[in-house]
Amino acid sequence: MPEIRSQQQLTDAYEQYKGLLSLRLGKAVDDKTRLVLVCGGTGCQASDSQKIVEKFQKLIIDNGLQDQLQAEIAGCFGFCEKGPIVKIFPEDVFYVQVKPEDVQEIFDQHLVGGQKVKRLLYEDPALKVKIDTSDEISFYKLQHRVALRNCGLINPEKIEEYIATGGYQSLGKILNQMTPEQVIDEMKKSGLRGRGGAGFSTGKKWEFARGYANDEKFVICNADEGDPGAFMDRSIMEGDSHSVIEGMCIAGFAIGAHQGYVYIRAEYPLAVKRLQIALDQARERGLLGKNILGSEFSFDIAIRLGAGAFVCGEETALIHSLQGMRGEPTTKPPFPAQSGLWGKPTIVNNVETLANVPVIFERGADWYSSIGTKTSKGTKVFALAGKINNVGLVEVPMGTTLREIIYDIGGGIKGGGEFKSAQTGGPSGGCIPKQYLDTPIDYESLASIGSMMGSGGMIIMSDHDCMVNIARFYMEFIVEESCGRCVPCRIGNKRMLEILTNITEGKGTETDLLELRSLAETIMDTSLCGLGQTAPNPVLSTLKYFMDEYEAHVIEKRCPAGVCQKLMRYEILPEKCIGCTACARGCPVGCISGAVKQVHVIDQSKCIKCGACITRCKFGAVVRI
Amino acid sequence: MINLTIDGQQISVPEGTTILEAARSMHLDIPTLCYLNLEKIKYLNQVASCRICVVEVEGRRNLAPSCATPVAEGMKVVTNSKRVLSSRRKNLELIISNHPFDCLVCAKSTDCELQRLVWEFGINTQRYDGERSEHAIDRSSSALKRDPNKCIMCRRCETMCNEVQTVGALTAFGRGFNTIVAPAEKEPIVNSNCVFCGQCVSVCPTAALTGIGYIQEVWAALFNPKKTVIVQVAPAVRVAVGEEFGMAAGEAVTGKLVAGLRRLGFNAIFDTTFGADLTVVEESKEIIERIEKNENLPILTSCCPGWINFLEHSFPNLKYMPSTCKSPQQMTGAIIKTYYAEKMGIDPKDIVVVSVMPCIAKKYEAALPNEETYGIRDVDYVLTTREVAKMLKEGSVDLRHIQEEEFDNPLGQSTGAGVIFGGTGGVLEAALRTVYEKATGKTLEDVNFTAVRGLNGMRIAEVDLDGRLVRVAAVAGLGNARKVLEKIESGEEKFDIIEIMACPGGCVNGGGQPYAEEREEIIEQRLSGLYQLDRNTKIRKSHLNPAIQALYQEYLGEAGSHKAHEILHVTDLFSAAVKQK
Amino acid sequence: MTDTSKDSLCGEEHNPQFAELDRFIDELHIDPKDPRRKDKLIMTLHKAQGIFGYLPEVLQIHIAKKFSVPHSEISGVISFYNFFTTTPKGKIQVNVCLGTACYVNGSDKLLQEFEQVLGIKAGEVTKDGKFSIESLRCVGACGLAPVVTINHKVYGKVKAGDVREILEKYMVEEDVENKEAADA
């Protein structure tokens, strides 16, 4: 593949490749030429999407139809609930939950025959109507895909397709026409704030790093996405690595760095693979490495793997992990912009932040800052999960309300329950209750109601979830992931967990609630790093909005949501019990008595509330109250 | 200069000063726990992990760790608001919630920095009754005891071992609640590359790291009518043990210590300094031989077991360099169990030799397989300065007021050269005084080799031995030892004699001395005390010690004789117990 | 408590696994004097664990020597990260995701079910060395919650009732090999 050694050659390459996307952009060539795009994100791959695309490709070759038919893998389409997803172009038809066995039918009926396979189309759950194209699907209607612009559009393993979208043009423009100061000004004007959670102004961070003179500086992409329930960064890395690579090059130019690192979780092998392919291809084409696009600017990127430590998402811990040490954070100041990797000025930027950079320069800071709210510009990608019908990845302008996300995009609560709370910010965030459903999502408004934007994980909880148990769950995660360096986090969070566990087991008291607040205060005020400083957030926000549940647990020893095992009573309804003895046989402590064909009884004093009996009873005779 | 306000008072300090240092300069004593700054030996533990020293800084969202936060222009700091005090207290309560509550029977009781803070804060309840970490106590070696249940993750030992001593035997291990500092894979310390220098013990604020104790064994020997129990006292002990009784650091309390030991019931009180003189005589012969032949240079001193252990692990190629002499402790013990035993008609099997040492490495040395003579252990038990102070108190001795007494003879006489063994540079200086006279045949007029004294990591001098220029160095601290040995291995530097001590400052700063904590001036005062003793001693050259001369005449023959080699040297300096790693 | 000092690893000299690891490390061109040489450590540990399956002491010491750092440093780093293990895992590694999305969809009950069926707790290995169970925190496949991975194969929307069926496929020896070949 020829190297691209100038902006003109890049434009030429764009002209050469842009046709690759015309079908996808809806430009029909004739009524026979079609393209199949299969979602290639980890979720769909687990459901055999790789097999699906390979089957299509084989059928195309076997039938000698390479001239008019093409099958490609693309990045995550976002609608994970309905995966594997297959899109057919130019019609932009959207097939859901496709299995490898369906491929033949789609091939025969649609690809060759030109007729949609109705049964595989998405059906709107409310209207009960089949919908053809994705832009009519409510999941997609309200979305504004900026960071995810190429995910699901291009094959991430083909750099030509990224170039065909106009990729690397921003880098070219910058290298040829702009100074680092101008780049930083434009970033500041755009209002882009760090998408990893803290929301610090990206432009300002770059400015600080530029200000510290040093012969060596570093750009680090934080792809450690550790928040459980968050998969935004993974999807971007799997679906559009080049946007991150381009973003890093631009960042490097702005601050004066020549070396970048992507620190990526070892739990994301597909993302690592796609990133490696993208890096190799970019280097091959002269878009990375020495004298990029024939300019004076050299910048290269290396991949470094994490090894399973949530705390390594914290920038100083990440830097220490990169240096081959235990991933323990250290005090700030000094901040990494002043003294980071190997003591040199370093910027650490999140994947989504970097993915936004090229498009900001393509369409302008003014365009970007016209989206969103006064203080939070642009869009945000959320990973919608939990008790929600449309689990998946959504990108919305800042200022969209929770209600719109949960109901209009998310399709409402799964399992027939009622909305109870939305948790954002992972273990560092808070639970947002019903009364705030109309809060516009932006950094400040979320913080003002006791939560935070976080990296984008949004877990929806219904009345089937116990908020005390949720708080305990997050604290358990924190205790596992605490690095152990500082006292308040290492020991304080452990004590908070013990109290929460006691409460969920019916051993809590009202004094415990006071102690939780007291511990929370010290932990937030004196922990060494962000992990500890924000660890009490889920507890504090649930205490604030769901005090009634806490009080039920400590005063009445009752779990209103029916979740906390130890607060449930298991009883056998005499009218339904037929004496099959299945429950008694499965009881690990032998607390169920009763002869064959006689009504059985549970001895409450011995019952350990494990729930084995209710699982085994086929007659609905065992109830939990 | 940066101007800031602390507790309403204005102060100006240089840029880069931390809030803690600024506060201390105003005599504002912000409580600390993990922080430790020993400037003179270039040790700084600034991990900000205990969160006790936190302060309020106006405009900052959370509290700042004063030990690790640099001052800024116009900063307004408050060190004792309700917010600060309540978090400080809470963190301390959290620390003790995961700490054993056996203060009453803990070796560090009254000497423990954690205990002191809890007392100062007036904490009088255990607020939390949750899980406590459970780790195995490590008594695998004869010198160092590890109790990881008492580890508060201050990281001081790790910093000392990795950065100052460059041994690297310790690491933080695990993650989260059960993290502790331990050897690799939490193996018993005897399986690691620990050299038992004891510097980690010196800096540990709790009883996570202490020496292995032998007080009960010594009492048992003392009360055993069948045994003749003899004690020897190292030079560095006499200028430090008084501190345990409230006396000044550096005050030489030799006579009082001798009297006290006699009160405890030891059958004879001998002076390790005698052994030091003996070491000088034997080693000088070796030194002169090697210099004359110009072979196997530099010769390295071998009286510090921590240092020799370090050499075995880190520079196995240079194992031929140290002198084959035993240390003064071992030589004294050997002479007691041969010469003295014969003289007094006692079966050496019935003699128990106890030595009082400023370090814990000596406990390791005494137990080494090859530290014996004719099949009998040279030294049976080693007590640290701290341990002997406890025994004296238990034995009704008030060191402040007891009347001074003299050492017993024939191993009670010593010279000024011997006594300065207790400080870095002392062994070298003592050796030079004898080497000079023996090599040149001339009298040394000025016995002071001040160039090799002091707390610098390494001091170099050139000595003119009647035309032959000898290049010598005194090194203290294993990190400094590593540096000089690397240069010798590569050929970058050449020396004739190098004295190496594992402990920065030498034995006066050993791991068995009264805890000096951050008061580095104590080390300097102890050193001064030794040099003062040297000045006040009539005989200041080891080979002129009449008791030493008598020993050779009556028993050993001459320096380097066959008998001297059998008793006072080791054929293989290196312990079979060293695990090859 | 597994005694890792007497491992069944062959001596370093003629062992093809060590040879493979050394080839990898030599390619990294580690300069013992370079203060930054440890930035290749974690990738080396990943590689070593990929070859040997776990990181016992003798391997740690070997790597320590290659990087010119004390053994304690390697040991401390390994002990920090979830990925690295100093004891062998089962041939078939069951990982149940306990990330929030999966948890809220009942993955903790899934874990209990796996523990009950296999007779071991999370973090343990069955006596015959065949199965081990771990809990993971989020593989990022939240759309498939609750998620279980078995030797890198991802199972989505798993119900407690499916557990026995899934495991049965792995219980039979030959099936395991065939299954892995098919998935490759």
Side-chain angles (χ1 to χ4, degrees):
Chain A
M1 282 274 126
E3 272 196 6
I4 301 174
R5 295 253 112 238
S6 70
Q7 202 179 357
Q8 181 57 51
Q9 287 181 13
L10 180 59
T11 310
D12 293 342
Y14 167 72
E15 291 298 327
Q16 184 189 353
Y17 297 129
K18 70 181 185 192
L20 291 171
L21 300 182
S22 43
L23 273 180
R24 282 170 255 198
L25 298 172
K27 295 207 188 77
V29 172
D30 53 38
D31 59 358
K32 287 205 174 320
T33 307
R34 290 195 170 85
L35 169 73
V36 182
L37 271 190
V38 182
C39 179
T42 298
C44 290
Q45 289 241 325
S47 310
D48 294 331
S49 65
Q50 188 66 34
K51 282 210 189 102
I52 292 173
V53 75
E54 282 166 6
K55 266 192 121 169
F56 272 116
Q57 285 168 345
K58 188 167 189 307
L59 279 173
I60 291 170
I61 292 176
D62 286 349
N63 285 280
L65 291 169
Q66 296 96 304
D67 284 343
Q68 61 190 73
L69 294 178
Q70 202 186 339
E72 294 279 2
I73 204 107
C76 178
F77 290 137
F79 202 168
C80 308
E81 181 69 28
K82 297 294 178 193
I85 293 178
V86 172
K87 285 169 105 168
I88 312 282
F89 294 95
E91 304 97 315
D92 192 20
V93 166
F94 196 85
Y95 291 126
V96 299
Q97 287 167 319
V98 177
K99 295 197 211 35
E101 304 88 86
D102 300 322
V103 173
Q104 187 74 54
E105 189 180 344
I106 299 175
F107 179 81
D108 291 335
Q109 193 174 323
H110 189 160
L111 289 184
V112 177
Q115 297 295 324
K116 298 185 198 121
V117 182
K118 280 217 153 49
R119 70 173 178 84
L120 290 172
L121 287 174
Y122 172 74
E123 178 176 302
D124 184 299
L127 303 172
K128 301 259 185 264
V129 159
K130 292 279 187 188
I131 299 186
D132 284 0
T133 58
S134 55
D135 51 4
E136 290 172 45
I137 297 176
S138 53
F139 182 76
Y140 287 108
K141 260 200 251 187
L142 288 176
Q143 291 196 41
H144 188 153
R145 291 164 81 87
V146 176
L148 295 178
R149 59 194 177 280
N150 296 327
C151 289
L153 175 68
I154 64 173
N155 178 340
E157 299 187 13
K158 293 192 174 162
I159 191 174
E160 302 80 45
E161 298 203 2
Y162 183 72
I163 295 174
T165 70
Y168 288 109
Q169 297 273 6
S170 295
L171 179 60
K173 180 170 85 178
I174 285 168
L175 291 179
N176 275 288
Q177 297 159 29
M178 294 177 81
T179 65
E181 286 74 18
Q182 286 170 326
V183 171
I184 290 174
D185 274 338
E186 191 76 358
M187 283 305 297
K188 282 163 71 177
K189 228 168 63 169
S190 74
L192 177 65
R193 293 167 69 169
R195 295 289 190 255
F200 189 76
S201 156
T202 308
K204 275 215 193 103
K205 190 184 264 191
W206 291 10
E207 195 174 46
F208 285 140
R210 174 142 200 97
Y212 288 108
N214 203 302
D215 55 339
E216 211 181 357
K217 299 187 188 180
F218 297 102
V219 175
I220 298 178
C221 170
N222 185 345
D224 193 55
E225 193 170 56
D227 273 4
F231 52 101
M232 306 74 57
D233 294 349
R234 177 178 62 67
S235 302
I236 294 174
M237 301 299 293
E238 287 175 357
D240 190 13
S241 288
H242 285 287
S243 66
V244 177
I245 295 173
E246 191 180 351
M248 286 177 77
C249 291
I250 294 173
F253 177 78
I255 70 167
H258 301 286
Q259 179 66 50
Y261 292 99
V262 179
Y263 183 88
I264 183 164
R265 309 178 77 200
E267 291 92 327
Y268 285 173
L270 182 58
V272 174
K273 173 174 161 227
R274 298 248 168 100
L275 176 63
Q276 187 61 67
I277 291 173
L279 287 172
D280 291 341
Q281 290 181 349
R283 237 177 254 125
E284 210 179 69
R285 305 300 299 263
L287 295 161
L288 185 70
K290 282 186 95 62
N291 301 112
I292 296 178
L293 285 170
S295 76
E296 304 255 300
F297 178 63
S298 300
F299 185 81
D300 209 337
I301 298 174
I303 299 179
R304 290 285 184 268
L305 289 181
F310 171 74
V311 68
C312 287
E314 197 278 341
E315 58 182 0
T316 60
L318 191 159
I319 287 173
H320 291 124
S321 187
L322 253 176
Q323 293 178 178
M325 299 155 67
R326 294 163 57 88
E328 293 179 44
T330 42
T331 45
K332 299 191 277 201
F335 290 87
Q338 180 183 2
S339 168
L341 184 61
W342 309 120
K344 305 289 182 183
T346 305
I347 52 171
V348 181
N349 282 132
N350 169 267
V351 169
E352 190 184 331
T353 311
L354 289 165
N356 276 300
V357 170
V359 75
I360 287 175
F361 285 93
E362 181 194 329
R363 305 189 57 179
D366 287 334
W367 163 80
Y368 193 77
S369 63
S370 71
I371 306 168
T373 69
K374 189 148 162 275
T375 56
S376 307
K377 301 296 180 190
T379 57
K380 180 77 191 82
V381 181
F382 289 98
L384 211 49
K387 298 264 190 349
I388 190 138
N389 281 320
N390 296 340
V391 173
L393 221 51
V394 310
E395 187 171 0
V396 293
M398 294 281 196
T400 307
T401 67
L402 267 174
R403 192 185 295 279
E404 287 173 293
I405 294 181
I406 294 168
Y407 292 98
D408 299 337
I409 300 177
I413 304 299
K414 184 161 84 173
E418 259 197 53
F419 172 80
K420 191 184 228 179
S421 80
Q423 215 275 357
T424 59
S428 306
C431 294
I432 304 167
K434 237 191 317 225
Q435 59 259 44
Y436 290 114
L437 271 178
D438 294 300
T439 305
I441 297 200
D442 82 4
Y443 289 101
E444 277 65 39
S445 63
L446 287 180
S448 72
I449 55 174
S451 184
M452 68 185 278
M453 179 78 67
S455 60
M458 187 184 288
I459 313 281
I460 306 302
M461 290 162 210
S462 73
D463 53 345
H464 295 161
D465 292 296
C466 170
M467 298 316 289
V468 182
N469 186 47
I470 293 290
R472 186 203 60 80
F473 166 81
Y474 277 119
M475 195 48 87
E476 192 176 56
F477 177 77
I478 289 288
V479 167
E480 253 178 57
E481 298 294 333
S482 165
C483 79
R485 190 183 187 99
C486 76
V487 168
C489 178
R490 179 177 84 242
I491 312 179
N493 283 319
K494 176 82 166 176
R495 298 299 171 227
M496 281 189 83
L497 175 62
E498 285 168 346
I499 294 174
L500 287 165
T501 307
N502 278 344
I503 293 176
T504 60
E505 292 183 353
K507 300 187 212 149
T509 65
E510 283 183 85
T511 340
D512 282 340
L513 300 183
L514 296 172
E515 186 57 46
L516 280 177
R517 284 193 206 280
S518 174
L519 275 169
E521 211 177 284
T522 295
I523 294 168
M524 293 174 85
D525 226 1
T526 60
S527 285
L528 193 152
C529 82
L531 186 152
Q533 288 158 12
T534 56
N537 278 346
V539 178
L540 289 178
S541 76
T542 49
L543 276 171
K544 185 169 172 186
Y545 298 120
F546 300 98
M547 181 52 107
D548 54 319
E549 284 193 54
Y550 278 95
E551 281 175 345
H553 281 74
V554 307
I555 301 175
E556 300 167 57
K557 310 292 186 215
R558 179 181 66 89
C559 174
V563 169
C564 298
Q565 294 270 35
K566 298 261 162 75
L567 297 185
M568 311 311 298
R569 265 174 76 90
Y570 289 85
E571 294 211 355
I572 300 178
L573 300 173
E575 64 270 22
K576 289 206 174 152
C577 174
I578 64 155
C580 74
T581 76
C583 59
R585 278 180 283 124
C587 174
V589 295
C591 73
I592 307 181
S593 55
V596 180
K597 300 237 173 74
Q598 301 290 326
V599 166
H600 280 48
V601 176
I602 296 173
D603 182 348
Q604 295 298 334
S605 67
K606 293 212 188 96
C607 174
I608 60 161
K609 332 259 190 199
C610 70
C613 49
I614 205 172
T615 318
R616 286 167 158 261
C617 179
K618 298 210 183 343
F619 302 94
V622 185
V623 288
R624 203 172 62 192
I625 43 176
Chain B
M1 296 294 272
I2 308 271
N3 305 299
L4 69 153
T5 313
I6 304 182
D7 287 349
Q9 285 186 62
Q10 291 218 344
I11 183 173
S12 286
V13 290
E15 193 175 333
T17 311
T18 61
I19 297 177
L20 180 69
E21 288 166 331
R24 282 179 173 180
S25 70
M26 304 157 76
H27 298 293
L28 274 174
D29 195 14
I30 300 175
T32 60
L33 185 52
C34 64
Y35 177 76
L36 183 59
N37 185 7
L38 301 171
E39 268 177 41
K40 298 198 164 67
I41 66 169
K42 300 207 179 40
Y43 169 93
L44 175 61
N45 189 52
Q46 195 182 31
V47 294
S49 69
C50 69
R51 317 308 279 184
I52 299 291
C53 72
V54 289
V55 293
E56 230 178 286
V57 173
E58 197 180 88
R60 181 172 160 145
R61 184 181 43 91
N62 59 354
L63 297 179
S66 57
C67 67
T69 309
V71 298
E73 184 63 35
M75 207 183 228
K76 289 207 182 81
V77 178
V78 175
T79 70
N80 56 4
S81 65
K82 175 165 181 243
R83 178 182 169 201
V84 170
L85 292 185
S86 77
S87 270
R88 227 181 248 162
R89 193 189 186 84
K90 198 99 187 156
N91 281 325
L92 202 49
E93 286 180 334
L94 286 171
I95 295 175
I96 63 174
S97 79
N98 190 24
H99 198 89
F101 257 68
D102 60 357
C103 289
L104 280 176
V105 295
C106 176
K108 283 288 275 274
S109 187
T110 74
D111 240 339
C112 169
E113 293 182 49
L114 177 64
Q115 188 188 53
R116 188 180 317 141
L117 266 184
V118 175
W119 175 83
E120 281 175 3
F121 281 37
I123 292 173
N124 54 8
T125 45
Q126 285 190 64
R127 190 179 298 276
Y128 303 105
D129 186 25
E131 188 184 321
R132 286 195 141 86
S133 304
E134 272 177 37
H135 301 278
I137 297 181
D138 177 2
R139 287 194 187 86
S140 61
S141 74
S142 36
L144 183 67
K145 177 182 168 193
R146 285 180 50 240
D147 185 353
N149 301 302
K150 296 185 178 169
C151 175
I152 59 169
M153 282 290 283
C154 70
R155 320 296 281 272
R156 286 184 186 179
C157 56
E158 198 189 348
T159 305
M160 177 61 86
C161 191
N162 292 339
E163 293 178 28
V164 175
Q165 300 296 72
T166 70
V167 170
L170 295 172
T171 176
F173 191 90
R175 193 178 74 200
F177 185 70
N178 286 313
T179 316
I180 46 163
V181 178
E185 297 302 295
K186 292 201 285 191
E187 289 248 334
I189 194 109
V190 79
N191 291 342
S192 73
N193 63 337
C194 169
V195 302
F196 305 107
C197 70
Q199 283 302 294
C200 56
V201 173
S202 284
V203 296
C204 178
T206 66
L209 292 165
T210 50
I212 301 266
Y214 292 99
I215 295 181
Q216 298 314 318
E217 286 81 346
V218 175
W219 278 127
L222 282 170
F223 294 138
N224 184 342
K226 298 204 192 102
K227 300 288 182 187
T228 305
V229 190
I230 302 181
V231 66
Q232 50 160 314
V233 179
V237 176
R238 66 203 61 193
V239 291
V241 68
E243 293 162 38
E244 298 286 277
F245 292 84
M247 299 157 88
E251 187 180 326
V253 295
T254 324
K256 291 178 189 275
L257 178 58
V258 171
L261 290 168
R262 203 162 275 134
R263 234 16 113 60
L264 293 182
F266 287 98
N267 298 105
I269 328 288
F270 289 146
D271 196 352
T272 313
T273 317
F274 171 94
D277 284 333
L278 189 53
T279 307
V280 169
V281 171
E282 284 297 316
E283 204 157 322
S284 302
K285 180 133 190 359
E286 238 185 312
I287 292 173
I288 294 172
E289 240 170 53
R290 290 208 204 171
I291 290 181
E292 274 172 5
K293 288 197 198 144
N294 209 13
E295 261 176 21
N296 293 336
L297 292 176
I299 181 169
L300 309 173
T301 58
S302 58
C303 45
C304 170
W307 134 244
I308 293 295
N309 206 351
F310 176 77
L311 179 79
E312 290 170 325
H313 279 115
S314 301
F315 294 91
N317 294 343
L318 305 183
K319 288 205 285 202
Y320 64 89
M321 281 188 184
S323 146
T324 56
C325 286
K326 288 181 180 175
S327 67
Q329 165 182 270
Q330 299 301 128
M331 282 198 184
T332 308
I335 294 293
I336 291 173
K337 295 212 185 175
T338 53
Y339 171 66
Y340 180 73
E342 278 176 38
K343 222 177 166 107
M344 303 300 288
I346 310 176
D347 184 351
K349 286 204 198 72
D350 294 329
I351 300 181
V352 174
V353 169
V354 178
S355 69
V356 184
M357 291 287 140
C359 83
I360 61 157
K362 288 293 172 187
K363 296 180 190 253
Y364 157 80
E365 185 184 44
L368 284 173
N370 58 351
E371 298 286 353
E372 48 82 50
T373 310
Y374 306 135
I376 309 252
R377 306 256 91 223
D378 294 331
V379 174
D380 298 289
Y381 303 113
V382 179
L383 296 169
T384 60
T385 314
R386 296 188 298 258
E387 281 177 288
V388 85
K390 284 189 183 174
M391 280 189 83
L392 291 169
K393 288 178 186 177
E394 202 186 343
S396 325
V397 172
D398 178 357
L399 204 67
R400 287 167 300 166
H401 299 119
I402 196 170
Q403 289 279 45
E404 287 157 346
E405 291 177 19
E406 296 286 330
F407 283 106
D408 289 306
N409 278 313
L411 280 77
Q413 230 181 331
S414 63
T415 69
V419 88
I420 58 177
F421 263 54
T424 173
V427 178
L428 178 62
E429 193 172 339
L432 287 172
R433 293 178 188 179
T434 297
V435 163
Y436 181 87
E437 295 201 347
K438 294 280 175 188
T440 64
K442 298 192 178 146
T443 308
L444 178 63
E445 296 298 340
D446 179 8
V447 299
N448 297 304
F449 289 86
T450 52
V452 301
R453 300 181 189 180
L455 284 182
N456 259 344
M458 175 153 139
R459 291 134 271 135
I460 302 178
E462 272 192 355
V463 178
D464 185 349
L465 289 185
D466 213 21
R468 167 58 157 106
L469 268 184
V470 165
R471 194 154 190 261
V472 304
V475 177
L478 292 173
N480 296 318
R482 183 182 291 281
K483 276 193 215 138
V484 76
L485 287 174
E486 277 171 354
K487 293 203 174 129
I488 289 176
E489 228 180 4
S490 69
E492 204 184 315
E493 291 253 28
K494 279 191 163 16
F495 286 97
D496 295 295
I497 313 171
I498 311 185
E499 174 210 292
I500 303 187
M501 293 292 150
C503 298
C507 310
V508 284
N509 188 26
Q513 294 280 62
Y515 293 105
E517 294 175 20
E518 259 185 325
R519 303 179 296 271
E520 284 189 286
E521 65 276 11
I522 289 182
I523 313 302
E524 289 175 313
Q525 283 156 357
R526 292 176 189 163
L527 269 177
S528 289
L530 288 178
Y531 288 115
Q532 172 103 327
L533 279 173
D534 175 30
R535 275 194 298 280
N536 295 344
T537 311
K538 204 152 146 281
I539 307 177
R540 301 176 69 187
K541 297 166 192 167
S542 298
H543 55 288
L544 300 180
N545 181 339
I548 296 281
Q549 287 169 342
L551 172 64
Y552 276 99
Q553 233 169 2
E554 284 175 38
Y555 194 69
L556 294 173
E558 48 160 34
S561 71
H562 177 77
K563 194 149 199 175
H565 262 275
E566 274 190 337
I567 300 176
L568 303 175
H569 291 248
V570 280
T571 44
D572 174 13
L573 189 60
F574 306 96
S575 77
V578 170
K579 184 166 178 182
Q580 287 310 305
K581 283 234 168 186
Chain C
M1 195 31 210
T2 313
D3 179 359
T4 55
S5 59
K6 301 173 181 53
D7 286 302
S8 55
L9 289 183
C10 295
E12 291 165 47
E13 268 126 50
H14 305 292
N15 184 322
Q17 287 175 312
F18 273 104
E20 190 187 338
L21 177 63
D22 285 348
R23 269 196 300 277
F24 176 85
I25 297 178
D26 290 341
E27 291 272 301
L28 299 174
H29 302 296
I30 308 238
D31 174 6
K33 295 247 181 298
D34 178 8
R36 298 185 186 181
R37 61 194 185 278
K38 274 175 64 190
D39 77 333
K40 310 266 176 42
L41 177 61
I42 290 188
M43 65 173 75
T44 305
L45 292 172
H46 274 296
K47 182 77 180 171
Q49 185 159 300
I51 296 171
F52 290 87
Y54 64 117
L55 300 167
E57 270 198 77
V58 66
L59 183 52
Q60 293 178 22
I61 293 166
H62 182 88
I63 295 175
K65 285 202 195 114
K66 288 279 182 182
F67 276 83
S68 298
V69 296
H71 173 208
S72 63
E73 228 174 290
I74 305 288
S75 170
V77 167
I78 289 172
S79 73
F80 185 84
Y81 296 98
N82 288 344
F83 247 68
F84 299 134
T85 173
T86 56
T87 52
K89 293 275 152 207
K91 279 206 207 66
I92 295 156
Q93 294 171 33
V94 176
N95 288 318
V96 180
C97 181
L98 288 185
T100 320
C102 289
Y103 181 80
V104 155
N105 279 297
S107 65
D108 56 334
K109 305 218 178 19
L110 262 188
L111 178 62
Q112 278 170 23
E113 188 65 19
F114 273 105
E115 286 177 332
Q116 201 171 49
V117 172
L118 290 175
I120 51 171
K121 293 248 171 279
E124 294 176 358
V125 187
T126 53
K127 278 204 176 57
D128 58 6
K130 194 147 178 200
F131 289 95
S132 61
I133 305 179
E134 289 290 346
S135 63
L136 275 189
R137 292 284 178 174
C138 200
V139 292
C142 314
L144 297 173
V147 167
V148 174
T149 69
I150 301 188
N151 279 4
H152 304 303
K153 183 162 162 62
V154 179
Y155 293 84
K157 305 207 177 156
V158 184
K159 293 193 258 317
D162 302 331
V163 170
R164 272 190 195 278
E165 204 184 301
I166 294 174
L167 283 176
E168 252 147 41
K169 296 201 194 111
Y170 290 94
M171 299 272 192
V172 184
E173 198 88 54
E174 307 90 78
D175 274 3
V176 172
E177 266 128 64
N178 291 339
K179 210 170 170 36
E180 282 177 12
D183 291 342

